[in-house]
Amino acid sequence: MAPTFADVVPVKQISSHQYTLTLEDGWCIGTVPNGGYVTSAFLVVARTHMSLTHPRRSEPHPVNLHLEFLRRTSVGPARFTVRDVKLGSRISNLHVVLSQSSNPADPASPYIDKAEGYITMSNIRTESGLSLPTAYSLYPPPLPVDLPTLAQAGRDVNYTSRPRDPFPQFRRAAQNMQMFLVRPARRPDNHPKAMNDQWVRLALNKTPTGRWTNDALGFLVDMFPQIVEKYVNPHIEEAALGQQSDDEANAWKEKDPGARAKYWYPTLALNLDVKKLLPEEGVEWLFVRVKAKAIRNGRFDLDVEVWDTDNELVATSSHASLVVDSSRNTTRGAKKSPKL
């Protein structure tokens, strides 16, 4: 079976309400595990908890999540503590807290809370009730895509692969996804600058053989070319999409200080609303649209929508994020992880 995100975050139960896993370096932005990767860990913990601790309730699917990032997480062991806020016949509510050592260099140091959230559990497969045709669709509409051609050639008439991240050593988590973005020459005038459209495949170990399942939605809604970068350095996406040769890319990197990973975009809060259950074996392709409404005073919002190849809405997400100097990511106090 093709690998899924459950293989990425192998959660281990240590008691009826506590779970552990190790956050890995390959899923980091700088020194900090990607917030979407952490969010998917929360989803897997919640699903595992209902399966192992409350198997008779048959509520295995997270349908709504609200997560707040209190402090920077770090590579290494993480402990998840679950509190059953309400256990219901159709809907159950969990409070989940991620804790880690206050000093990553000293595993024996006291644990402190790094992120916490509320997760609503249900059974999407057996849901029933009123359904109405809203006729909602994306606007502006996404450009047509030829997925077999993308898979084989890396580009079609409208989309092209993003063969390299501009800052691969800083944005290591991005190497676990294959992105196909709108070709610059094909970008319609009505597509605002503060919006990204992308078709994506899960590329574990840089190989696009993975499959998207609901476990991966946390990561999926938090991994995309950063919108702010379009403004602070317009050359970045041209290089990332292979529109420049390596020599040209290296030349502008040397000339332009903005080509360095100047900013880090830590998430303050993330909301996820799941609309559809993906197949257990996963799917190869998903479409993601990301847009920002306001980028102001070092703080910005993101709206994210995930669609499948059947043109059905899979999930929506909203983020509250910061724009800070990248040094805030790569420098840590020796004794504790500072607050943002």
Side-chain angles (χ1 to χ4, degrees):
M1 182 177 290
T4 67
F5 222 82
D7 301 302
V8 174
V9 284
V11 170
K12 179 181 178 182
Q13 186 182 47
I14 58 175
S15 73
S16 64
H17 287 72
Q18 285 198 325
Y19 305 82
T20 63
L21 67 87
T22 298
L23 300 180
E24 302 288 348
D25 179 76
W27 296 84
C28 282
I29 304 297
T31 64
V32 180
N34 166 252
Y37 164 64
V38 172
T39 300
S40 275
F42 271 81
L43 295 176
V44 175
V45 165
R47 177 175 59 76
T48 302
H49 178 70
M50 295 304 293
S51 174
L52 297 181
T53 302
H54 305 293
R56 294 185 179 181
R57 294 197 171 272
S58 187
E59 295 165 350
H61 306 132
V63 295
N64 190 271
L65 170 146
H66 171 76
L67 191 60
E68 297 197 4
F69 295 87
L70 309 175
R71 300 174 178 87
R72 295 182 297 182
T73 55
S74 59
V75 170
R79 182 178 66 208
F80 292 80
T81 302
V82 181
R83 179 169 65 91
D84 300 326
V85 178
K86 188 209 75 173
L87 297 175
S89 59
R90 176 177 174 178
I91 295 288
S92 290
N93 302 89
L94 307 177
H95 179 248
V96 185
V97 178
L98 183 163
S99 304
Q100 288 187 293
S101 170
S102 56
N103 181 2
D106 178 14
S109 61
Y111 269 46
I112 58 173
D113 298 343
K114 298 292 189 71
E116 65 178 86
Y118 285 89
I119 304 177
T120 304
M121 305 297 297
S122 186
N123 191 324
I124 301 175
R125 190 173 286 111
T126 62
E127 280 183 328
S128 62
L130 179 66
S131 297
L132 298 171
T134 65
Y136 175 75
S137 61
L138 288 170
Y139 184 84
L143 296 177
V145 66
D146 183 340
L147 294 177
T149 298
L150 279 190
Q152 183 175 4
R155 62 174 55 198
D156 68 359
V157 172
N158 293 317
Y159 296 87
T160 185
S161 67
R162 193 173 193 255
R164 57 178 178 239
D165 191 277
F167 316 112
Q169 293 305 310
F170 187 73
R171 288 173 50 84
R172 295 185 298 287
Q175 313 309 308
N176 296 291
M177 178 190 288
Q178 193 174 49
M179 304 179 187
F180 297 83
L181 306 180
V182 176
R183 298 172 67 171
R186 300 290 297 173
R187 189 173 294 124
D189 292 339
N190 63 349
H191 278 213
K193 193 172 185 178
M195 184 180 83
N196 280 331
D197 280 357
Q198 60 180 10
W199 284 95
V200 292
R201 294 197 289 182
L202 186 61
L204 304 178
N205 299 317
K206 299 183 180 180
T207 304
T209 57
R211 293 293 182 269
W212 298 113
T213 63
N214 283 53
D215 288 341
L217 290 177
F219 174 66
L220 182 62
V221 301
D222 194 37
M223 186 51 59
F224 36 78
Q226 291 294 334
I227 287 175
V228 171
E229 300 291 345
K230 289 184 177 181
Y231 293 84
V232 299
N233 197 324
H235 302 291
I236 284 180
E237 206 52 50
E238 291 183 10
L241 291 175
Q243 302 299 303
Q244 297 178 337
S245 68
D246 288 340
D247 289 341
E248 290 173 320
N250 290 332
W252 68 254
K253 282 186 177 183
E254 291 174 3
K255 293 179 181 178
D256 189 349
R260 298 192 301 271
K262 181 177 181 180
Y263 293 115
W264 174 42
Y265 310 98
T267 304
L268 295 175
L270 185 152
N271 295 284
L272 176 68
D273 188 27
V274 179
K275 307 293 188 181
K276 181 178 179 178
L277 183 64
L278 296 172
E280 186 175 343
E281 67 276 13
V283 298
E284 180 180 7
W285 293 96
L286 287 172
F287 175 84
V288 183
R289 171 169 286 182
V290 184
K291 55 186 177 182
K293 298 187 184 77
I295 305 170
R296 188 175 299 141
N297 299 324
R299 184 166 56 86
F300 66 104
D301 61 272
L302 289 172
D303 281 343
V304 185
E305 295 186 31
V306 180
W307 295 73
D308 65 12
T309 56
D310 294 325
N311 200 33
E312 291 189 353
L313 185 62
V314 175
T316 62
S317 181
S318 62
H319 304 212
S321 302
L322 296 178
V323 182
V324 299
D325 193 276
S326 59
S327 63
R328 295 283 298 275
N329 174 296
T330 56
T331 58
R332 287 182 181 271
K335 294 185 178 181
K336 66 178 182 179
S337 299
K339 298 180 180 180
L340 288 174

